[in-house]
Amino acid sequence: MHEWAKALRAHFGDADGDVPDLRVEPGLVTGGGATLAAPVIPAGVWAEVDVDSSMLAQTLEHTWEEPLVPGEITRVGSAEAVASLGAAFANAVERDATLLLRFRGYGEGDANSNPWRGGELPSLPEHERRPPESVPNRLGRSGIGTGAGDLVEALAGVYRAF
């Protein structure tokens, strides 16, 4: 039994696990009239780890404080349906461990879906000059704190200075 499947089974007990409409999405597992949800591991963390490493779970847990098998899983549905879905998900992870990676957000989106990961900026009309701080402001809040507030606020000041 794969250690990840074993860890999932610990959440749900020894239910049947027969859910024919099992669906795994980033942060969400559905099927059998139940739903399991957990926050995804941020894309920036996934970009820094070697997914093929035999130490992946330990690296995520100890370096990034992001357990591969989440400690808290939100459950929606009857107790029986949730237990059955959890067991079905554990069985599916036993057969294909990449489903757990998908559930935790690995491979979610591409470089253009997150402006902080790079990608092409929208084009500006050539006849219209915008204030220099409009560039970082178009990216939105980064969630990265600095002494001047959010990183985008600090960058806006730098752009104004130049």
Side-chain angles (χ1 to χ4, degrees):
M1 177 182 304
H2 196 281
E3 69 181 81
W4 299 343
K6 188 185 238 182
L8 283 169
R9 282 192 180 87
H11 280 281
F12 303 104
D14 295 327
D16 175 17
D18 182 26
V19 177
D21 60 340
L22 176 73
R23 184 176 174 150
V24 180
E25 300 289 328
L28 200 65
V29 177
T30 58
T35 301
L36 307 174
V40 297
I41 295 172
V45 172
W46 285 120
E48 295 297 320
V49 298
D50 177 7
V51 180
D52 297 322
S53 168
S54 63
M55 303 295 290
L56 174 63
Q58 291 82 357
T59 301
L60 286 170
E61 177 82 31
H62 298 293
T63 303
W64 297 98
E65 297 178 356
E66 293 283 357
L68 190 54
V69 176
E72 296 284 328
I73 298 177
T74 302
R75 305 151 191 239
V76 178
S78 70
E80 298 81 22
V82 166
S84 186
L85 178 60
F89 182 43
N91 292 341
V93 168
E94 181 72 36
R95 291 186 302 274
D96 180 4
T98 63
L99 291 174
L100 181 58
L101 298 177
R102 178 171 173 75
F103 175 60
R104 297 299 280 143
Y106 176 69
E108 180 182 17
D110 60 17
N112 292 324
S113 67
N114 180 349
W116 289 100
R117 297 289 304 155
E120 206 171 307
L121 290 174
S123 60
L124 293 173
E126 288 187 31
H127 67 279
E128 186 178 323
R129 177 132 173 104
R130 296 190 181 187
E133 67 270 11
S134 68
V135 173
N137 287 337
R138 278 194 282 168
L139 297 174
R141 295 186 55 78
S142 69
I144 301 170
T146 69
D150 188 78
L151 178 61
V152 79
E153 293 167 358
L155 287 175
V158 171
Y159 272 73
R160 278 190 301 274
F162 282 118

